[in-house]
Amino acid sequence: MLNIEKPPIDVIENDEAYIVIVDIPGVDKQDIEITGDENSITIKAFRNQIIKGRYHIVERFNGFIKRTIKFPSAINLNQAKAIYENGVLTVYLPKAKNQFIIDTCFKILIS
């Protein structure tokens, strides 16, 4: 059975953008993928921190992480930015104000 974790998020809106903050500690930056369209983004990651030995307690998650966030107004993925630092992913998504958005999928690069 495939186990998928939904990490905790905060979504903040201001006049100019949506800001998504996701806690995904223990994931390497290259194991995170952010894709989106004009109304949503999907964040996928893989965490594998298995240490050889006999476990007595297992509470930390290992496996796939996936979260989709839908927004009430269109976003401009061409100007989106993402930063991953100290286990926290922050995605800045400018609102598409008076812009024609074509329904295509974009990948957001993480700096």
Side-chain angles (χ1 to χ4, degrees):
M1 184 168 105
L2 184 64
N3 192 7
I4 298 177
E5 176 81 2
K6 290 179 84 170
I9 64 168
D10 291 338
V11 179
I12 303 135
E13 178 182 5
N14 61 34
D15 291 339
E16 302 298 318
Y18 296 99
I19 301 162
V20 177
I21 302 169
V22 187
D23 289 340
I24 45 175
V27 174
D28 292 329
K29 183 168 78 169
Q30 64 268 15
D31 292 332
I32 302 171
E33 178 182 88
I34 308 167
T35 57
D37 58 30
E38 76 276 3
N39 293 94
S40 68
I41 63 168
T42 298
I43 300 166
K44 297 178 187 175
F46 181 72
R47 178 169 42 208
N48 185 14
Q49 295 182 331
I50 297 173
I51 299 171
K52 292 183 182 183
R54 187 175 63 206
Y55 283 75
H56 292 274
I57 298 172
V58 178
E59 294 180 349
R60 298 171 56 240
F61 177 80
N62 278 302
F64 292 97
I65 297 166
K66 182 178 178 182
R67 192 73 191 253
T68 298
I69 302 112
K70 296 185 185 280
F71 304 99
S73 61
I75 54 177
N76 184 344
L77 290 174
N78 287 324
Q79 296 178 352
K81 297 176 187 168
I83 298 169
Y84 182 63
E85 189 172 69
N86 297 323
V88 178
L89 177 67
T90 304
V91 186
Y92 178 81
L93 302 154
K95 292 180 180 178
K97 294 184 176 183
N98 301 321
Q99 297 169 330
F100 181 71
I101 303 295
I102 299 172
D103 186 16
T104 58
C105 186
F106 285 91
K107 185 172 183 178
I108 301 169
L109 300 177
I110 303 169
S111 58

